[in-house]
Each structure stands twice: as C-alpha cells, then as structure tokens.
mmCIF file of all heavy atoms in Angstrom:
data_model
loop_
_atom_site.group_PDB
_atom_site.id
_atom_site.type_symbol
_atom_site.label_atom_id
_atom_site.label_comp_id
_atom_site.label_asym_id
_atom_site.label_seq_id
_atom_site.Cartn_x
_atom_site.Cartn_y
_atom_site.Cartn_z
ATOM 1 N N PRO Z 16 -8.525 -1.199 -1.630
ATOM 2 C CA PRO Z 16 -8.661 -0.589 -2.950
ATOM 3 C C PRO Z 16 -7.994 0.783 -3.049
ATOM 4 O O PRO Z 16 -7.515 1.163 -4.123
ATOM 5 C CB PRO Z 16 -10.180 -0.487 -3.152
ATOM 6 C CG PRO Z 16 -10.772 -0.573 -1.802
ATOM 7 C CD PRO Z 16 -9.854 -1.445 -1.022
ATOM 8 N N VAL Z 17 -7.942 1.542 -1.942
ATOM 9 C CA VAL Z 17 -7.258 2.834 -1.980
ATOM 10 C C VAL Z 17 -5.767 2.629 -2.223
ATOM 11 O O VAL Z 17 -5.144 3.340 -3.020
ATOM 12 C CB VAL Z 17 -7.499 3.619 -0.675
ATOM 13 C CG1 VAL Z 17 -6.585 4.839 -0.602
ATOM 14 C CG2 VAL Z 17 -8.951 4.071 -0.587
ATOM 15 N N LEU Z 18 -5.178 1.646 -1.555
ATOM 16 C CA LEU Z 18 -3.756 1.373 -1.750
ATOM 17 C C LEU Z 18 -3.475 0.944 -3.190
ATOM 18 O O LEU Z 18 -2.478 1.366 -3.789
ATOM 19 C CB LEU Z 18 -3.299 0.285 -0.777
ATOM 20 C CG LEU Z 18 -3.317 0.681 0.707
ATOM 21 C CD1 LEU Z 18 -3.086 -0.545 1.578
ATOM 22 C CD2 LEU Z 18 -2.287 1.760 1.001
ATOM 23 N N ALA Z 19 -4.352 0.111 -3.743
ATOM 24 C CA ALA Z 19 -4.181 -0.292 -5.148
ATOM 25 C C ALA Z 19 -4.204 0.926 -6.061
ATOM 26 O O ALA Z 19 -3.406 1.038 -6.998
ATOM 27 C CB ALA Z 19 -5.276 -1.289 -5.542
ATOM 28 N N ALA Z 20 -5.108 1.868 -5.773
ATOM 29 C CA ALA Z 20 -5.197 3.083 -6.586
ATOM 30 C C ALA Z 20 -3.969 3.969 -6.408
ATOM 31 O O ALA Z 20 -3.509 4.607 -7.356
ATOM 32 C CB ALA Z 20 -6.466 3.850 -6.217
ATOM 33 N N LEU Z 21 -3.412 4.015 -5.201
ATOM 34 C CA LEU Z 21 -2.187 4.801 -4.975
ATOM 35 C C LEU Z 21 -1.026 4.235 -5.786
ATOM 36 O O LEU Z 21 -0.213 4.986 -6.327
ATOM 37 C CB LEU Z 21 -1.829 4.794 -3.487
ATOM 38 C CG LEU Z 21 -2.651 5.728 -2.585
ATOM 39 C CD1 LEU Z 21 -2.338 5.451 -1.118
ATOM 40 C CD2 LEU Z 21 -2.376 7.196 -2.923
ATOM 41 N N GLY Z 22 -0.934 2.921 -5.867
ATOM 42 C CA GLY Z 22 0.113 2.329 -6.684
ATOM 43 C C GLY Z 22 -0.070 2.653 -8.150
ATOM 44 O O GLY Z 22 0.884 2.984 -8.859
ATOM 45 N N ARG Z 23 -1.300 2.586 -8.605
ATOM 46 C CA ARG Z 23 -1.584 2.850 -10.014
ATOM 47 C C ARG Z 23 -1.361 4.317 -10.365
ATOM 48 O O ARG Z 23 -1.082 4.651 -11.517
ATOM 49 C CB ARG Z 23 -3.028 2.441 -10.330
ATOM 50 C CG ARG Z 23 -3.389 2.547 -11.800
ATOM 51 C CD ARG Z 23 -4.723 1.913 -12.098
ATOM 52 N NE ARG Z 23 -4.618 0.462 -11.986
ATOM 53 C CZ ARG Z 23 -5.073 -0.248 -10.979
ATOM 54 N NH1 ARG Z 23 -5.684 0.352 -9.975
ATOM 55 N NH2 ARG Z 23 -4.932 -1.551 -10.943
ATOM 56 N N ALA Z 24 -1.480 5.214 -9.384
ATOM 57 C CA ALA Z 24 -1.320 6.643 -9.663
ATOM 58 C C ALA Z 24 0.084 6.968 -10.146
ATOM 59 O O ALA Z 24 0.290 7.943 -10.883
ATOM 60 C CB ALA Z 24 -1.638 7.450 -8.401
ATOM 61 N N GLY Z 25 1.077 6.155 -9.741
ATOM 62 C CA GLY Z 25 2.443 6.406 -10.189
ATOM 63 C C GLY Z 25 3.023 7.693 -9.652
ATOM 64 O O GLY Z 25 3.960 8.248 -10.226
ATOM 65 N N ASP Z 26 2.482 8.194 -8.536
ATOM 66 C CA ASP Z 26 2.890 9.475 -7.952
ATOM 67 C C ASP Z 26 3.619 9.211 -6.646
ATOM 68 O O ASP Z 26 3.094 8.540 -5.745
ATOM 69 C CB ASP Z 26 1.638 10.336 -7.709
ATOM 70 C CG ASP Z 26 1.960 11.762 -7.317
ATOM 71 O OD1 ASP Z 26 2.995 11.973 -6.649
ATOM 72 O OD2 ASP Z 26 1.164 12.655 -7.659
ATOM 73 N N GLU Z 27 4.814 9.762 -6.522
ATOM 74 C CA GLU Z 27 5.608 9.552 -5.308
ATOM 75 C C GLU Z 27 4.895 10.021 -4.042
ATOM 76 O O GLU Z 27 5.221 9.576 -2.941
ATOM 77 C CB GLU Z 27 6.935 10.284 -5.407
ATOM 78 C CG GLU Z 27 7.900 9.701 -6.408
ATOM 79 C CD GLU Z 27 9.133 10.564 -6.538
ATOM 80 O OE1 GLU Z 27 10.014 10.506 -5.653
ATOM 81 O OE2 GLU Z 27 9.213 11.321 -7.527
ATOM 82 N N ALA Z 28 3.939 10.920 -4.187
ATOM 83 C CA ALA Z 28 3.225 11.403 -3.003
ATOM 84 C C ALA Z 28 2.475 10.281 -2.296
ATOM 85 O O ALA Z 28 2.122 10.407 -1.126
ATOM 86 C CB ALA Z 28 2.247 12.511 -3.397
ATOM 87 N N GLY Z 29 2.246 9.178 -2.989
ATOM 88 C CA GLY Z 29 1.561 8.047 -2.369
ATOM 89 C C GLY Z 29 2.501 7.065 -1.699
ATOM 90 O O GLY Z 29 2.044 6.077 -1.113
ATOM 91 N N LEU Z 30 3.812 7.315 -1.752
ATOM 92 C CA LEU Z 30 4.776 6.327 -1.259
ATOM 93 C C LEU Z 30 4.698 6.135 0.257
ATOM 94 O O LEU Z 30 4.666 5.001 0.742
ATOM 95 C CB LEU Z 30 6.186 6.751 -1.673
ATOM 96 C CG LEU Z 30 7.327 5.850 -1.215
ATOM 97 C CD1 LEU Z 30 7.130 4.426 -1.739
ATOM 98 C CD2 LEU Z 30 8.669 6.410 -1.690
ATOM 99 N N VAL Z 31 4.690 7.220 1.012
ATOM 100 C CA VAL Z 31 4.698 7.098 2.477
ATOM 101 C C VAL Z 31 3.479 6.332 2.989
ATOM 102 O O VAL Z 31 3.621 5.417 3.810
ATOM 103 C CB VAL Z 31 4.821 8.484 3.136
ATOM 104 C CG1 VAL Z 31 4.632 8.381 4.653
ATOM 105 C CG2 VAL Z 31 6.183 9.095 2.821
ATOM 106 N N PRO Z 32 2.264 6.650 2.539
ATOM 107 C CA PRO Z 32 1.114 5.845 2.997
ATOM 108 C C PRO Z 32 1.249 4.356 2.665
ATOM 109 O O PRO Z 32 0.806 3.501 3.438
ATOM 110 C CB PRO Z 32 -0.079 6.464 2.268
ATOM 111 C CG PRO Z 32 0.347 7.847 1.926
ATOM 112 C CD PRO Z 32 1.817 7.778 1.694
ATOM 113 N N LEU Z 33 1.876 4.043 1.528
ATOM 114 C CA LEU Z 33 2.054 2.643 1.164
ATOM 115 C C LEU Z 33 3.025 1.949 2.116
ATOM 116 O O LEU Z 33 2.798 0.807 2.535
ATOM 117 C CB LEU Z 33 2.565 2.529 -0.278
ATOM 118 C CG LEU Z 33 1.581 2.936 -1.373
ATOM 119 C CD1 LEU Z 33 2.251 2.855 -2.738
ATOM 120 C CD2 LEU Z 33 0.344 2.069 -1.359
ATOM 121 N N ILE Z 34 4.108 2.627 2.461
ATOM 122 C CA ILE Z 34 5.078 2.037 3.387
ATOM 123 C C ILE Z 34 4.446 1.845 4.760
ATOM 124 O O ILE Z 34 4.624 0.803 5.411
ATOM 125 C CB ILE Z 34 6.340 2.915 3.467
ATOM 126 C CG1 ILE Z 34 7.087 2.873 2.122
ATOM 127 C CG2 ILE Z 34 7.260 2.443 4.590
ATOM 128 C CD1 ILE Z 34 8.264 3.811 2.033
ATOM 129 N N ILE Z 35 3.691 2.844 5.203
ATOM 130 C CA ILE Z 35 3.021 2.730 6.509
ATOM 131 C C ILE Z 35 2.060 1.540 6.510
ATOM 132 O O ILE Z 35 1.964 0.791 7.489
ATOM 133 C CB ILE Z 35 2.267 4.031 6.837
ATOM 134 C CG1 ILE Z 35 3.283 5.163 7.086
ATOM 135 C CG2 ILE Z 35 1.351 3.853 8.039
ATOM 136 C CD1 ILE Z 35 2.651 6.531 7.219
ATOM 137 N N ALA Z 36 1.377 1.336 5.390
ATOM 138 C CA ALA Z 36 0.377 0.256 5.319
ATOM 139 C C ALA Z 36 1.000 -1.127 5.378
ATOM 140 O O ALA Z 36 0.309 -2.112 5.645
ATOM 141 C CB ALA Z 36 -0.451 0.402 4.042
ATOM 142 N N LEU Z 37 2.312 -1.234 5.142
ATOM 143 C CA LEU Z 37 2.968 -2.540 5.272
ATOM 144 C C LEU Z 37 2.886 -3.072 6.696
ATOM 145 O O LEU Z 37 3.024 -4.277 6.925
ATOM 146 C CB LEU Z 37 4.444 -2.433 4.853
ATOM 147 C CG LEU Z 37 4.715 -2.203 3.370
ATOM 148 C CD1 LEU Z 37 6.198 -1.967 3.151
ATOM 149 C CD2 LEU Z 37 4.235 -3.380 2.537
ATOM 150 N N GLY Z 38 2.655 -2.179 7.659
ATOM 151 C CA GLY Z 38 2.526 -2.607 9.054
ATOM 152 C C GLY Z 38 1.096 -2.768 9.514
ATOM 153 O O GLY Z 38 0.860 -2.941 10.723
ATOM 154 N N ASP Z 39 0.130 -2.736 8.603
ATOM 155 C CA ASP Z 39 -1.275 -2.861 8.991
ATOM 156 C C ASP Z 39 -1.555 -4.238 9.597
ATOM 157 O O ASP Z 39 -0.918 -5.240 9.263
ATOM 158 C CB ASP Z 39 -2.166 -2.651 7.763
ATOM 159 C CG ASP Z 39 -3.598 -2.329 8.127
ATOM 160 O OD1 ASP Z 39 -4.364 -3.285 8.397
ATOM 161 O OD2 ASP Z 39 -3.947 -1.145 8.162
ATOM 162 N N ARG Z 40 -2.518 -4.290 10.506
ATOM 163 C CA ARG Z 40 -2.873 -5.561 11.153
ATOM 164 C C ARG Z 40 -3.473 -6.560 10.171
ATOM 165 O O ARG Z 40 -3.309 -7.772 10.328
ATOM 166 C CB ARG Z 40 -3.879 -5.304 12.276
ATOM 167 C CG ARG Z 40 -3.315 -4.532 13.457
ATOM 168 C CD ARG Z 40 -4.402 -4.349 14.505
ATOM 169 N NE ARG Z 40 -3.930 -3.585 15.653
ATOM 170 C CZ ARG Z 40 -4.676 -3.289 16.689
ATOM 171 N NH1 ARG Z 40 -5.948 -3.698 16.725
ATOM 172 N NH2 ARG Z 40 -4.184 -2.589 17.698
ATOM 173 N N ALA Z 41 -4.194 -6.055 9.185
ATOM 174 C CA ALA Z 41 -4.914 -6.943 8.273
ATOM 175 C C ALA Z 41 -3.991 -7.429 7.158
ATOM 176 O O ALA Z 41 -3.345 -6.624 6.468
ATOM 177 C CB ALA Z 41 -6.115 -6.221 7.668
ATOM 178 N N ARG Z 42 -3.962 -8.725 6.959
ATOM 179 C CA ARG Z 42 -3.115 -9.295 5.901
ATOM 180 C C ARG Z 42 -3.522 -8.756 4.529
ATOM 181 O O ARG Z 42 -2.658 -8.464 3.687
ATOM 182 C CB ARG Z 42 -3.220 -10.820 5.930
ATOM 183 C CG ARG Z 42 -2.507 -11.503 4.781
ATOM 184 C CD ARG Z 42 -2.547 -13.002 4.896
ATOM 185 N NE ARG Z 42 -2.055 -13.642 3.682
ATOM 186 C CZ ARG Z 42 -1.819 -14.937 3.553
ATOM 187 N NH1 ARG Z 42 -2.022 -15.748 4.586
ATOM 188 N NH2 ARG Z 42 -1.384 -15.447 2.420
ATOM 189 N N SER Z 43 -4.832 -8.631 4.293
ATOM 190 C CA SER Z 43 -5.287 -8.149 2.983
ATOM 191 C C SER Z 43 -4.758 -6.751 2.692
ATOM 192 O O SER Z 43 -4.419 -6.427 1.548
ATOM 193 C CB SER Z 43 -6.813 -8.155 2.914
ATOM 194 O OG SER Z 43 -7.360 -7.292 3.893
ATOM 195 N N VAL Z 44 -4.669 -5.920 3.733
ATOM 196 C CA VAL Z 44 -4.162 -4.558 3.550
ATOM 197 C C VAL Z 44 -2.655 -4.596 3.314
ATOM 198 O O VAL Z 44 -2.135 -3.890 2.439
ATOM 199 C CB VAL Z 44 -4.512 -3.687 4.770
ATOM 200 C CG1 VAL Z 44 -3.875 -2.309 4.649
ATOM 201 C CG2 VAL Z 44 -6.029 -3.558 4.911
ATOM 202 N N ARG Z 45 -1.938 -5.406 4.080
ATOM 203 C CA ARG Z 45 -0.485 -5.518 3.878
ATOM 204 C C ARG Z 45 -0.175 -5.984 2.461
ATOM 205 O O ARG Z 45 0.724 -5.449 1.792
ATOM 206 C CB ARG Z 45 0.121 -6.492 4.889
ATOM 207 C CG ARG Z 45 0.027 -6.041 6.334
ATOM 208 C CD ARG Z 45 0.951 -6.862 7.232
ATOM 209 N NE ARG Z 45 0.686 -8.284 7.188
ATOM 210 C CZ ARG Z 45 -0.178 -8.916 7.974
ATOM 211 N NH1 ARG Z 45 -0.901 -8.226 8.852
ATOM 212 N NH2 ARG Z 45 -0.334 -10.223 7.898
ATOM 213 N N GLU Z 46 -0.908 -6.985 1.997
ATOM 214 C CA GLU Z 46 -0.645 -7.506 0.656
ATOM 215 C C GLU Z 46 -1.013 -6.478 -0.411
ATOM 216 O O GLU Z 46 -0.319 -6.370 -1.438
ATOM 217 C CB GLU Z 46 -1.403 -8.815 0.451
ATOM 218 C CG GLU Z 46 -0.847 -9.945 1.314
ATOM 219 C CD GLU Z 46 -1.487 -11.288 1.031
ATOM 220 O OE1 GLU Z 46 -2.554 -11.310 0.365
ATOM 221 O OE2 GLU Z 46 -0.936 -12.316 1.459
ATOM 222 N N ALA Z 47 -2.087 -5.715 -0.172
ATOM 223 C CA ALA Z 47 -2.439 -4.648 -1.114
ATOM 224 C C ALA Z 47 -1.328 -3.601 -1.178
ATOM 225 O O ALA Z 47 -1.007 -3.076 -2.258
ATOM 226 C CB ALA Z 47 -3.756 -3.997 -0.701
ATOM 227 N N ALA Z 48 -0.719 -3.296 -0.019
ATOM 228 C CA ALA Z 48 0.388 -2.328 0.005
ATOM 229 C C ALA Z 48 1.597 -2.867 -0.752
ATOM 230 O O ALA Z 48 2.281 -2.117 -1.473
ATOM 231 C CB ALA Z 48 0.755 -2.007 1.447
ATOM 232 N N ILE Z 49 1.891 -4.155 -0.608
ATOM 233 C CA ILE Z 49 3.024 -4.757 -1.320
ATOM 234 C C ILE Z 49 2.801 -4.677 -2.830
ATOM 235 O O ILE Z 49 3.682 -4.265 -3.596
ATOM 236 C CB ILE Z 49 3.206 -6.221 -0.873
ATOM 237 C CG1 ILE Z 49 3.664 -6.269 0.587
ATOM 238 C CG2 ILE Z 49 4.213 -6.943 -1.765
ATOM 239 C CD1 ILE Z 49 3.609 -7.660 1.211
ATOM 240 N N LEU Z 50 1.605 -5.072 -3.265
ATOM 241 C CA LEU Z 50 1.280 -5.001 -4.693
ATOM 242 C C LEU Z 50 1.368 -3.573 -5.206
ATOM 243 O O LEU Z 50 1.880 -3.310 -6.306
ATOM 244 C CB LEU Z 50 -0.126 -5.568 -4.929
ATOM 245 C CG LEU Z 50 -0.279 -7.082 -4.791
ATOM 246 C CD1 LEU Z 50 -1.747 -7.449 -4.649
ATOM 247 C CD2 LEU Z 50 0.324 -7.784 -6.005
ATOM 248 N N ALA Z 51 0.880 -2.628 -4.407
ATOM 249 C CA ALA Z 51 0.862 -1.229 -4.835
ATOM 250 C C ALA Z 51 2.270 -0.648 -4.904
ATOM 251 O O ALA Z 51 2.579 0.136 -5.809
ATOM 252 C CB ALA Z 51 -0.009 -0.411 -3.887
ATOM 253 N N LEU Z 52 3.132 -1.009 -3.951
ATOM 254 C CA LEU Z 52 4.521 -0.522 -3.997
ATOM 255 C C LEU Z 52 5.228 -1.006 -5.257
ATOM 256 O O LEU Z 52 5.939 -0.241 -5.925
ATOM 257 C CB LEU Z 52 5.280 -1.004 -2.760
ATOM 258 C CG LEU Z 52 5.248 -0.096 -1.534
ATOM 259 C CD1 LEU Z 52 5.848 -0.810 -0.335
ATOM 260 C CD2 LEU Z 52 6.014 1.192 -1.813
ATOM 261 N N ALA Z 53 5.043 -2.269 -5.580
ATOM 262 C CA ALA Z 53 5.648 -2.796 -6.806
ATOM 263 C C ALA Z 53 5.091 -2.083 -8.029
ATOM 264 O O ALA Z 53 5.835 -1.746 -8.965
ATOM 265 C CB ALA Z 53 5.400 -4.300 -6.901
#
C-alpha cells in the first residue's frame, strides 16, 4: 500500500524507492511497484 500511495503522489521523490522495490522478493510488492511506476 505504501508503494501504491507513492505512485499516486505523482512526486518524483518517490521514484527511487519504486525502482528499488521492483527487486523485492515478494511478488505482491513487485507488482505494486510496477503499478505505482505506471
């Protein structure tokens, strides 16, 4: 849910955490990061 909120914030300051989360072990977290980046 934090990643989803970072995507919704529309603030570039959230970009690096989203990219890092693409490598998370959990599929649910990776998919949340993908949705948030888009």
